[in-house]
Every structure is written in structure tokens, then in C-alpha cells.
Amino acid sequence: MSKKDYYELLGLSKSAGEAEIKKAYRRLARQYHPDANQDDKNAEEKFKEVSEAYEVLSDTQKRAQYDQFGHAAFQEGQGYGGFQGGYGGGPFEDIFNMFTGRGFSEDDIFGMFHGGGQTRQKKGPEKGNDLRYDLEVEFIEAAFGVEKEIQIMRAENCPECNGTGAQKGSSPKTCPKCGGSGQVKYAQNTMLGQFVNIKTCDECHGAGEVNEDPCHNCHGTGRIRRKRKIKVKIPAGVDTGYRIRISGEGEPGIRGGGSGDLYIFIHVKSHEIFKREGNDIFCNMTVTFAQAALGDEIEVTTLEGHSKFNLPAGTQNGKVYKLREEGIPAFRGRRGDLYFEIQVETPTDLSKDQRELLMQFAEVRGEKIKPSEDKEKGFFKKVKDALGGS
Ligand SMILES: [Zn+2]
Ligand SMILES: [Zn+2]
């Protein structure tokens, strides 16, 4: 169930302006409104999709996030990655709780990539940037959880000047260009006349202060880039698309603002035997013709090793059996199941004796068969005879 592109839903191009978005939404909302389409499930679904698309695209910040990260920017607990809801706040809540000790709010989702959603104010504290790290984990690691050490490059406050950018002994001075306001006015001439515009001061970048003697270590930026090793605890049961937030491990805030967070995006590698769907896993199990016909105690490969299974006599090729709770451990509640499909193997390397036994077997069952190998042998024999061989 891949989500439709928000722009596509509204029939817009990526460059659509605010007015266009509003117009498209109004038109479609009227068309699919539940009042106008009673008992029409499709229309209701469409109405929801269109409203969701509008909610994001009409909000500048959400739209920017969507443009950059797509639907991944707004993943919530519902029905994602095979988890069909059912346990309260969804799987994300568990992951977030683990690190922050609190619930998962809408602020967490929308605050992700732009520092908490507060409007920028001159000189006010600003939360640091959040960081994203894409982490590949093995199938088994995702199933049972693992602790990993990752290495990230991030900006940190310069230890020499504590992030102020001013050399020790000097202090920041009021910006001469904007007089400390952080903003400058400039006139713009257009066909309609002259306008006075306000923009962020490019001398102090809106801070209102400049360093007369910049820190020698960070060249006045207050930041240095550093490699950091960070331990990440991956909980059992994660799947591709899950994110883990590590609070405060993003980039440092500005003017006393808190650090951003680090988000670990999980990518689970495929497994050579198992395929995963939600918390259930699937594999093939090869048995011989004799095992399938007579039944046998077989060993099925599981995530933890092997499990004995009594294969019933007369098992057909393609039959699927289930081992309860041998799938992926869930965050909460029941563990998934393991399904295996029987593949009956036809022997290809029969010896002379084995062939004869099978021929007898067929005869006893009243099957009249003309083995194809006999024809080939016959043909070669004829050639040999023709050449005068033995
Ligand atoms: Zn300035
Ligand atoms: Zn410095």
C-alpha cells in the first residue's frame, strides 16, 4: 500500500503556488465530500487523501519536509511496515519512549527537520539541526535487536570559544551594518514603483553582533566539524522504514538553544532463506518424493536454528505449513509465525537399481509409463549398432 504523491493527488506540479494548491483542494474536496457522496467508500477515501495532501502542501514547513523526504517525513505508527496498529500508539511510540521516556507527539513528527517548529526570532535561542543516519542491519539483527556503534560527522560547538566565535579575551560587538537589529532595509524598484524590503543582515546573519577578533580555532564560526562514535540500541522487531530518535545527538543549538536530535533510519537487509511480511516470515522447505509420500520427521530451519516437524504422509508439492510464534518477535504482544512451503524434489540421478524399483512401483500401481531415458538409450544403441560397435 504505497502512498500516492501529494502533488499528484491534487493534480499539481511541484512548483504550484499557494493559490493553486488552495484552488485544487477546494475543487477536489467539493467533488469527494462525504455529504455529496453518501455511502461511497471510494469517495470517502479520496476525500481523506486529498485533505491530507492539502494539510501538508499548504503548510510551508511541512511542504519543505515533504519535498525533501517524501512521505518518510511524516511516518506515523499506523499501519506502517506491516504493523497494522492495534497496540495503542503504534511501534514508534515504543522506540521513542525508549530514548526519551515520553510519548510520541505530533510535534515530534513535524518538528523533526526544522528544529521544533518555533518561528525564528532574532537573538532567541534556536534548537540545533536534527541529523539523519541511514543504518543497514542484518535480517537477524532486526529480528532480535542489536547494539551498534555508528560514526557520524557533525558540527559541534568550538571548544576554544564555546561556540561564540570570538577569540578569548574579545567579546562580540554590535553589528555596524544593522546596528544590532539583525535586519536591513533596502529599496527595490519595480514596474509598480519602489518598495522597501527587509532582509536578514548579511554581515551578522541576523545575530545583531559580530566578532571583531574571530576565534582562531573555528575562524569565527563557533563551530567545528567532528567525527563522533555513537552507540545505538536497535530494539527487536524493527523493520525497514523505522526510525530511532536519539535525543540531543544532533547539531548544537544557537544562542543557548538545545541540540538537535539524531534520527537513525533502519534498513533491513534481505535474508538468503527467509522473506518477511510484518512479523511473519516465509521460506521454502525441500523434501524428497519418498518423504512427501510416506511422511517423515523433518527439521525446519528457524530464526534460532531448527525445529522438528512431523510431515504428514501424502504431502503435496506447494503445501504450506506454519510454525506458531517462530517469526519475528513483536514489540508488544504475540510473536509472528513462520510459514514454510513444501517443495517436493524429483530425483535426477537415479541408478540402474533405483530405476528398476521405480518401474516396478509404477507397474504395481497400474501406471503404464514409457520412460523417456529408454528412448534415448534406444537411439544411441541403434547408432552404435549401425556403426558396427558392440
Ligand atoms: Zn548585522
Ligand atoms: Zn572557536
Side-chain angles (χ1 to χ4, degrees), residues 175-184 201-210:
C175 172
K177 188 163 181 181
C178 62
S181 71
Q183 295 173 333
V184 287
C201 172
D202 53 11
E203 185 72 34
C204 62
H205 306 289
E209 290 173 333
V210 286

Side-chain angles (χ1 to χ4, degrees), residues 162 165 256 323:
N162 290 321
L323 291 178

Side-chain angles (χ1 to χ4, degrees), residues 158 160-161 165 215 217-218 222:
C158 168
E160 292 294 314
C161 62
C215 166
N217 192 40
C218 61

Side-chain angles (χ1 to χ4, degrees), residues 1 34 85 92-94 105 109 120 132 148 159 196 200 215 217 232 237 241 250 272 293-295 337 344 386:
M1 35 152 253
F92 286 121
E93 188 175 60
D94 295 286
S105 71
I109 307 169
R120 284 180 178 229
R132 170 184 175 139
K148 291 248 175 203
V196 174
T200 303
C215 166
N217 192 40
V232 187
E272 54 174 348
L294 303 171
D337 300 321
V344 179

